[in-house]
Each structure stands twice: as structure tokens, then as C-alpha cells.
Amino acid sequence: MTSVLRSAVTGVGGYLPDRVVTNDDLAKFVDTSDEWIVERTGIRQRHQAADDQPVSDLAVAAARRALEAAGRTPDEVDLIIVATTTADLTFPAVATIVQRKLGCPVGIAFDVQAVCSGFVYALSVADGFVARNRSQCALVIGAETMTRLMDWTDRGTCVLFGDGAGAVVVEPRAGEGTTADRGLLGFALRADGTKQELLFVDGGPSTNGQVGKLRMQGNQVFRHAVVNISEAVTAAAADAGIEVSSVDWFVPHQANLRILQGVARRLGIDEAKVITTLDRHANTSAASIPLALDQGVRDGRIKPGNMLLLEAMGGGLTWGACVLRL
Ligand code: UT7
């Protein structure tokens, strides 16, 4: 067996802001109902960051928990990648703010912008450092304050999103080049810029100088989701050299319960193997996969050695999937 270096996830952490907003809370000021939201999306509530809570604070809280779970300290971190679409400031990157707030030494820190697919993209970028021995202790964080991008008069979007952050610690581990190895084993990343108008924010520093609001043709995005995600999952499994059916847990991006069920049905995945947090978290964009991972690990369902399949699709359109053995 050849010896290879793998990027192993050694700790997971999550953070949700204290404030909980139920569907009934939203129905007080927008023309919607708990019944419609639950039936069409599976969402029952979402968390919302306090007005004075920037996304970097959410990221730091999740990162601290991930470091603790990994038995690592901030002074050991040499790489921070934050997947976010809701940065504190236009610049610097949230990752450098996290670096300062956590008290990490000088290292590499930058953000990845792939909207809801950001965490899968960021893991792949981290793999490029860790599996080449260029980082000994990396933090990969998905952190979002999506509620800041909502048009609260648009019932087609404002009921769908929530705030939160999830983080993992990634470290190099020797493997034998087989699917029994611990670590990131396969990826499939995709983007189709021609679908921009389906899901975007109508502002930015280089256009109108505004932050903007999220605009989405939900049913059009929905049409692409199941097909795109299923193709990427199949490709990531092939890249890893495994069968989709051999995966222990699916840890999907949480956009809509009907998408999760549609992907599971199309790929012949038992729904009991799908980690779902949508009902309590709503769609937290790049944070939703690490938050779901954290949930599964903390409640004891996901165990060391389990084979996991992560997948997401979001604005761009971007989408992708990743196979990892915990
Ligand atoms: O994470 C990024 C990726 N995002 C996604 O994957 C989101 C994908 N899309 C979706 O999840 C779904 O398309 C939605 C949940 C956004 C919408 O569900 P839908 O079944 O596709 O509904 P629709 O947009 O086709 O709208 C159906 C009806 C419309 O009314 P009419 O025109 O039939 O009278 C909407 O106005 O539902 C209405 N509607 C609502 N009614 C009550 C839309 N939003 C709401 C609402 N409450 N919040």
C-alpha cells in the first residue's frame, strides 16, 4: 500500500444565535402561514443574529467548539478559511477577523464565496493545503447572517433563511491510499454562471455600492436542485472510489426538505441516513452543512470512522459534493 497524506476532520463545532423566530412570528408581518412554510419547505423556525452580532462572532463561537472537540488550541491554527456570503465588511476577509478574535498566530486566512455551496468548496481548498503538508491545523468555517440579506416584504424568500455558523478542524493524517483511510476522499465541484438570475443579491461594492437584498426564482432553482445535486453526489462517490449506497450518513445543505427527499429518492438513499436540521435552522447557506454535521456528531448518530457524503447547491449557480471518512 502506498502511503498518502489525507486531510482528516478531527473536530466539529456549531453555533446558533439565541434569538429564535418561528413561522408564526413571520406571519405577523408577511402574508404567509406556518402551514404553508412547513408543507412546502419543512422549516418550523430559524435563528437570527442580534443586531450587534457580526458574522465573525458566529464563526468564532463555532471555531472555538471545533477546536475544543479536536483538542487543539488557537495558537496551533495555521490556516483559516471562512465560507460566507455575508461578511462583516466588504474587506478584510472574515477569516482575518476570526484570526484576530481567536488569537491565532500569523498564518493563512481568506474567505471563499460560493454561497450555499461555500463549505464544500472551502473543504476542497483546505484539502489542497493540508494534504500537501502546507497546513498542520486548519479551520474551515461556514458562517452566515443570511437574515441581513432578506427583503422582509418578499414572502417567497424571507421565510427560508436563518443565521448560524459551523466549523471543522482539518489536520493531515497518513493513509494508505484506500477508501478505508480517514479524511477527505473525493470531491465534485460545479458552477453554471448562466443561471445567475435565478438566485442573486441585487447589490454590491462594484455595482451600486449597496449590500442589496436576496432575489430568487425559487421554483426555477428547485427544478435544477435535485438533478444537479444527484449528479455531483454520484461524481464525488466515483472520485472517492465508493458506492453511494455504502455511505453511512448524508449531510446535505438544508434548503428544502423536498429537495433532500428528492435527492435521496433519486439516488436510492434511505431517508433514515439523512441528517436534517432544516426544521430548526432553516437555510443557513454555507453554515448549514457543518451545523448538520455538528448536530449528527453531538447526538451520537455520526461516529468516528463513518463514511459521510456532503452536498450543496446555491447562488451562481454553484453546487458540489464531497466524500469523507470521519
Ligand atoms: O440554498 C439555496 C438554494 N435554494 C433553494 O434550493 C430553494 C429552492 N426552492 C424552494 O425551496 C421552493 O421553490 C420555495 C420554497 C422557495 C417555493 O416553493 P414552491 O412550491 O416552488 O412555490 P412557488 O414559488 O411555485 O409558489 C407557489 C405559490 C405562489 O402563489 P400562486 O402564484 O400560486 O398564487 C406563491 O406566491 O405559493 C406562494 N408563496 C407563498 N405562500 C405563502 C410563496 N411563498 C409563500 C409563503 N407563504 N411564504
Side-chain angles (χ1 to χ4, degrees), residues 31-33 36-37 40-41 116 155-156 159-161 199 216 218-219 221-222 225 253 255-256 258-259 283 313-315:
D31 182 16
T32 190
S33 66
W36 190 95
I37 301 170
R40 297 293 184 111
T41 72
C116 298
R155 67 179 182 172
V159 305
L160 303 174
F161 292 89
L199 177 52
M216 177 166 72
N219 47 14
V221 176
F222 196 102
H253 169 52
N256 188 314
R258 291 186 289 143
I259 296 175
N283 181 346
M313 191 187 92

Side-chain angles (χ1 to χ4, degrees), residues 186-267:
F187 284 95
L189 303 180
R190 311 272 187 259
D192 178 1
T194 67
K195 304 285 187 305
Q196 174 182 324
E197 77 284 0
L198 301 186
L199 177 52
F200 67 103
V201 168
D202 62 2
S206 167
T207 50
N208 59 4
Q210 306 293 313
V211 171
K213 299 293 179 202
L214 184 143
R215 307 293 173 201
M216 177 166 72
Q217 298 175 36
N219 47 14
Q220 294 299 312
V221 176
F222 196 102
R223 266 185 352 106
H224 292 284
V226 174
V227 175
N228 284 353
I229 292 168
S230 299
E231 186 280 326
V233 165
T234 307
D239 189 46
I242 63 154
E243 296 294 327
V244 173
S245 56
S246 70
V247 167
D248 295 302
W249 291 102
F250 288 82
V251 190
H253 169 52
Q254 313 277 320
N256 188 314
L257 192 58
R258 291 186 289 143
I259 296 175
L260 271 56
Q261 291 166 336
V263 170
R265 215 171 307 129
R266 195 179 176 99
L267 295 175

